[in-house]
Amino acid sequence: MAGKAPAQDPAQDSPEVSAPKHAAAGLPALFHTTKIANAQMGATRAVRTLLKLNQPDGFDCPGCAWPEPDHTHTAEFCENGAKAVAEEATLRTVGPEFFAEHPVADLAGRSGYWLGQQGRLTTPMLLDEGATHYTPIGWEDALALVADELKALDSPDGAAFYTSGRTSNEAAFTFQLLARQFGTNNLPDCSNMCHESSGSALTETIGIGKGSVHLKDLYQADLIIVAGQNPGTNHPRMLSALERAKRAGAKVVSVNPLPEAGLERFKNPQNARGLVGNGTKLTDLFLQIRLGGDLALFRALNLLLLEAEEKAPGTVLDHAFIEEHCHGFEAWAEDARSTDWDQVLAATGLPEQQIRELAELTLASEKVIVCWAMGLTQHKHSVPTIREVVNYLLLRGNIGRPGAGVCPVRGHSNVQGDRTMGIFERPSAAFLDSLGKEFGFEPPREHGLDVVDTIRGMRDGKVRVFFAMGGNFVSATPDTEVTEDAMRSCRLTVHVSTKLNRSHVVTGARALILPTLGRTDRDVRETGPQQVTVEDSMGMVHASRGALKPPAADLLSETAIVCRLARLTLGPQNPVPWEEFAADYGTVRERIARVIPGFEDFNEKIEHPGGFALPHAPRDRRAFPTATGKANFTVNTLTAPEVPEGRLLLQTLRSHDQYNTTIYGLDDRYRGIKDGRRVVLLHPEDAAEHGLAEGALVDLVSEWADGVERRAPHFRVVLYPTVRGCAAAYYPETNVLVPLDSTADTSNTPTSKSVVIRFAEDSGPEAVRG
């Protein structure tokens, strides 16, 4: 039988601390998977559900976007994927009686962990103006309320339509169509906070803002660099791919401020060697870099490659590739020669010999892949950093051939698909032309608001209606107090959600919670059972078919909610067949096929068990649809975060028991932390310099150019082998420290991996909010 939700909200400030682990998965992963699945679903439902996870006739994991192998394993899931499924497929439910018992003020004081553990939402709920409790409301009345508020706006730009990365392709396409038919490009999404820097850099340099590799390329690579990423926690199935690559002879280099167990050794729980043996050593070279030092690292690597070519002309660089397919090499080379090694060593904190060792590995490798995640994308200089990564790969022709390329590892399961479907505040003219032609209207052309600008818009009274398709906007965004105040200034806030989260208790004058079907739920519409599609991190599109009985009989899918709202908002004369779309998602896919290149014969292609690959010109034919028509070398000024004397540089990160803002539990097993999240990880020498002993309690205070004091109270010091001068703590608890206006150049992504902090006297547990 499934367990009950916790009645009390546990304290999170007194963890048990042990030494960090040096291997990931193995028997403990199986134990924790079973424990959480049984607690949420019960044993029988857990087995039945997990056997359908990531299967050709089953449903896609609602967690990360790591791709599935062509020949799907019976248990094609990881520990965190199983946790994500257990959270969604839980037998716990939250209905009107729960909201009658708990006023919003009570819920606002609870932790995100406690809120999420209560279970699946079952009924549309309204918090009316001045009310203390949410009360049930019928679907028609709820959607009519939203439509009336939208139509009452002075301008369509008074609304913002936010999208989570779990939204299906069909829901995302109809959602952006609703927004643009309404008249706005205000389509912020979670990409703005994670891989926007990747998209910006890659679009400029290779012409498409996506990775250029498939899963099979990792198995063919000679060298794989994993930079600013912790796959053991964030994308655990990637470890299986790295293990296979290692067996094929690849070298793996890890570049990260923290040693991570998953990159040290992998004990694959799907084979005997992983369960009872030592598993596979993954990392051949670990570069423990200072936060924000990656630009300097890749710039130095590129200088070493250039110098090696000059010593042995014609033997190092791929001159034929550079001549035929690249632009800007000479300007780049001239600037690269001016690289200052003192700056490099100060920015990276690395011994010069380690950088030279990586250069030697590069010279010995014909096929190189660079993988990265938030550790590279959430700094002020993130876009130049990723452009320098591209320079590194272009020098030896490592884009557009097997076993080589760029591999930004996306987070949420369909975050890449949402962008492909048009969830973007700055759409291309070609996309708008195609959309307008297909549906007979003139889409708005003025760029809309991304996440940071949406918060500013709400704060300044310009955005009055906020509609979120999934996600937990309040907890995912920076500058928590500013964001919450901005949300409260709205006339109406609406959240389409499967489970309760903090965004439901930080509301506008009125608020709606619209419960929806999850990826695991059976979705039957007027025309019969439905399937949706998702795009993984490597551009593969495949179907997802829920199999479980929904937690409530009248739950609507995201697509159905969008289509019903669109008809009420846009009126009976609007020519889009919204009713047809809501009844049969295949009709949505027919329109997608006519609007978005690569989706021709969409409905037929998804019947193939492995799905299909979207076209990628740089990968497929070494064609680069950039402004120059070629892959662009770029000149990137060497820079790194500046940290005043007596301060540290903080990165926000996930624990092993969470996925983005969803907290599954209070442990971080691989880092040796149990039963607590309010911790700050410090190098022992840094702690000593600041007069802090293991277990000391402090407030974290961020410092930025605006002089505003942002404080995260009541954190326990944990001594940890992080790099000197750098600290780490979990989000969303530390999002309060990230200034709204501290963003990456070009991409406007919050700088959550480079926050300057100092320590202050502990404010005590009473200062901690939900």
Side-chain angles (χ1 to χ4, degrees), residues 455-485:
I455 297 170
R456 292 170 178 153
M458 292 189 293
R459 176 197 63 191
D460 298 340
K462 297 176 181 178
V463 173
R464 308 297 290 147
V465 175
F466 177 85
F467 192 110
M469 184 61 64
N472 180 2
F473 188 85
V474 163
S475 292
T477 47
D479 221 340
T480 306
E481 292 185 7
V482 172
T483 296
E484 292 188 353
D485 286 345

Side-chain angles (χ1 to χ4, degrees), residues 41-209:
M41 298 184 282
T44 301
R45 182 179 173 93
V47 171
R48 187 170 69 247
T49 303
L50 292 177
L51 288 177
K52 284 289 187 180
L53 176 56
N54 290 331
Q55 300 300 313
D57 63 342
F59 60 90
D60 183 75
C61 180
C64 82
W66 188 256
E68 290 80 49
D70 291 337
H71 303 288
T72 306
H73 192 282
T74 302
E76 183 51 50
F77 57 84
C78 64
E79 178 186 348
N80 272 8
K83 292 174 185 175
V85 168
E87 289 273 319
E88 181 174 287
T90 182
L91 292 172
R92 304 170 187 172
T93 57
V94 175
E97 67 288 347
F98 173 88
F99 290 99
E101 180 182 349
H102 295 282
V104 173
D106 171 34
L107 297 176
R110 304 282 187 158
S111 70
Y113 168 69
W114 187 91
L115 292 173
Q117 289 298 305
Q118 301 311 301
R120 287 288 298 275
L121 295 159
T122 61
T123 308
M125 302 298 297
L126 168 67
L127 181 67
D128 218 337
E129 189 164 6
T132 59
H133 292 68
Y134 275 99
T135 56
I137 183 174
W139 276 106
E140 288 303 319
D141 288 341
L143 295 174
L145 188 157
V146 181
D148 289 345
E149 285 283 3
L150 290 172
K151 290 185 286 187
L153 292 170
D154 295 334
S155 163
D157 290 329
F161 297 86
Y162 174 75
T163 316
S164 156
R166 286 178 61 169
T167 303
S168 70
N169 286 330
E170 292 75 11
F173 184 80
T174 53
F175 195 49
Q176 64 83 29
L177 180 59
L178 161 61
R180 293 187 168 111
Q181 287 262 334
F182 182 63
T184 186
N185 281 316
N186 287 351
L187 285 156
D189 77 316
C190 57
S191 285
N192 299 148
M193 293 179 285
C194 54
H195 269 288
E196 200 66 67
S197 296
S198 300
S200 298
L202 294 177
T203 299
E204 178 185 353
T205 55
I206 66 171
I208 184 168

Side-chain angles (χ1 to χ4, degrees), residues 10 26 29 94 157 193 197 234 356 389 395 491 505 577 580 597 619:
V94 175
D157 290 329
M193 293 179 285
S197 296
N234 300 332
R356 292 187 179 276
V389 170
L395 284 172
R491 254 190 357 224
V505 298
E580 184 180 338
R619 178 194 65 221

Side-chain angles (χ1 to χ4, degrees), residues 232-256:
T233 286
N234 300 332
H235 312 88
R237 286 184 300 127
M238 183 179 175
L239 300 182
S240 299
L242 292 176
E243 178 184 50
R244 182 168 170 182
K246 287 285 294 184
R247 290 180 184 173
K251 299 290 187 181
V252 174
V253 174
S254 303
V255 183
N256 206 49

Side-chain angles (χ1 to χ4, degrees), residues 390-475:
V390 174
N391 289 341
Y392 168 75
L393 292 168
L394 293 178
L395 284 172
R396 289 170 59 81
N398 277 311
I399 293 181
R401 56 190 177 90
V406 291
C407 183
V409 183
R410 307 278 176 168
H412 252 148
S413 59
N414 198 42
V415 63
Q416 187 158 293
D418 287 351
R419 182 57 56 86
T420 302
M421 291 297 106
I423 301 294
F424 191 31
E425 75 281 356
R426 293 176 284 122
S428 69
F431 174 82
L432 293 178
D433 289 344
S434 183
L435 189 72
K437 180 180 178 182
E438 177 63 28
F439 292 101
F441 79 112
E442 178 53 43
R445 300 283 168 161
E446 184 177 351
H447 288 173
L449 304 177
D450 64 9
V451 164
V452 168
D453 285 333
T454 293
I455 297 170
R456 292 170 178 153
M458 292 189 293
R459 176 197 63 191
D460 298 340
K462 297 176 181 178
V463 173
R464 308 297 290 147
V465 175
F466 177 85
F467 192 110
M469 184 61 64
N472 180 2
F473 188 85
V474 163
S475 292

Side-chain angles (χ1 to χ4, degrees), residues 377-712:
T377 66
Q378 293 181 328
H379 300 278
K380 180 175 174 56
H381 59 292
S382 286
V383 173
T385 298
I386 297 163
R387 291 195 305 230
E388 199 64 32
V389 170
V390 174
N391 289 341
Y392 168 75
L393 292 168
L394 293 178
L395 284 172
R396 289 170 59 81
N398 277 311
I399 293 181
R401 56 190 177 90
V406 291
C407 183
V409 183
R410 307 278 176 168
H412 252 148
S413 59
N414 198 42
V415 63
Q416 187 158 293
D418 287 351
R419 182 57 56 86
T420 302
M421 291 297 106
I423 301 294
F424 191 31
E425 75 281 356
R426 293 176 284 122
S428 69
F431 174 82
L432 293 178
D433 289 344
S434 183
L435 189 72
K437 180 180 178 182
E438 177 63 28
F439 292 101
F441 79 112
E442 178 53 43
R445 300 283 168 161
E446 184 177 351
H447 288 173
L449 304 177
D450 64 9
V451 164
V452 168
D453 285 333
T454 293
I455 297 170
R456 292 170 178 153
M458 292 189 293
R459 176 197 63 191
D460 298 340
K462 297 176 181 178
V463 173
R464 308 297 290 147
V465 175
F466 177 85
F467 192 110
M469 184 61 64
N472 180 2
F473 188 85
V474 163
S475 292
T477 47
D479 221 340
T480 306
E481 292 185 7
V482 172
T483 296
E484 292 188 353
D485 286 345
M487 191 72 77
R488 293 186 182 102
S489 72
C490 290
R491 254 190 357 224
L492 175 68
T493 51
V494 185
H495 296 275
V496 178
S497 307
T498 57
K499 302 189 74 181
L500 197 63
N501 63 53
R502 183 157 180 81
S503 293
H504 302 135
V505 298
V506 179
T507 72
R510 291 196 290 178
L512 281 168
I513 302 173
L514 303 180
T516 189
L517 295 175
R519 195 77 56 78
T520 59
D521 296 324
R522 187 166 58 245
D523 185 1
V524 181
R525 303 295 300 157
E526 292 89 329
T527 59
Q530 301 297 309
Q531 59 185 340
V532 295
T533 59
V534 296
E535 178 186 348
D536 67 31
S537 192
M538 294 181 179
M540 295 292 296
V541 178
H542 57 274
S544 180
R545 305 166 178 88
L548 299 179
K549 181 181 178 181
D554 64 344
L555 280 188
L556 297 178
S557 68
E558 291 178 329
T559 304
I561 291 170
V562 170
C563 293
R564 289 175 65 168
L565 175 61
R567 179 57 74 203
L568 289 170
T569 303
L570 303 174
Q573 304 307 314
N574 185 268
V576 177
W578 297 108
E579 291 81 6
E580 184 180 338
F581 287 173
D584 182 357
Y585 307 161
T587 62
V588 179
R589 290 189 286 273
E590 289 172 0
R591 298 303 190 95
I592 292 171
R594 297 205 286 263
V595 171
I596 303 175
F599 286 86
E600 299 80 8
D601 302 318
F602 194 178
N603 281 314
E604 291 74 24
K605 286 179 178 177
I606 61 171
E607 294 308 316
H608 185 276
F612 64 96
L614 291 176
H616 190 290
R619 178 194 65 221
D620 299 339
R621 59 183 191 278
R622 282 193 159 177
F624 299 93
T626 65
T628 64
K630 294 187 175 185
N632 291 315
F633 279 91
T634 54
V635 173
N636 303 294
T637 302
L638 198 162
T639 186
E642 296 183 4
V643 185
E645 187 72 24
R647 305 299 188 257
L648 295 176
L649 201 61
L650 175 79
Q651 65 170 326
T652 70
L653 42 67
R654 298 178 189 165
S655 78
H656 191 63
D657 267 357
Q658 79 178 96
Y659 192 79
N660 290 346
T661 60
T662 301
I663 312 300
Y664 305 134
L666 303 181
D667 299 345
D668 195 352
R669 190 169 74 249
Y670 297 148
R671 296 190 181 110
I673 297 170
K674 182 179 180 181
D675 198 28
R677 290 181 51 82
R678 299 195 74 83
V679 297
V680 56
L681 309 182
L682 299 180
H683 190 284
E685 293 179 23
D686 286 325
E689 281 190 8
H690 289 269
L692 299 173
E694 174 86 50
L697 290 166
V698 295
D699 285 4
L700 310 181
V701 180
S702 68
E703 297 182 344
W704 196 62
D706 61 5
V708 175
E709 181 178 284
R710 296 170 174 85
R711 183 178 291 251

Side-chain angles (χ1 to χ4, degrees), residues 262-277:
L263 283 169
E264 290 188 52
R265 184 172 293 275
F266 175 47
K267 295 184 176 182
N268 192 333
Q270 296 182 348
N271 61 49
R273 180 167 55 188
L275 286 176
V276 297

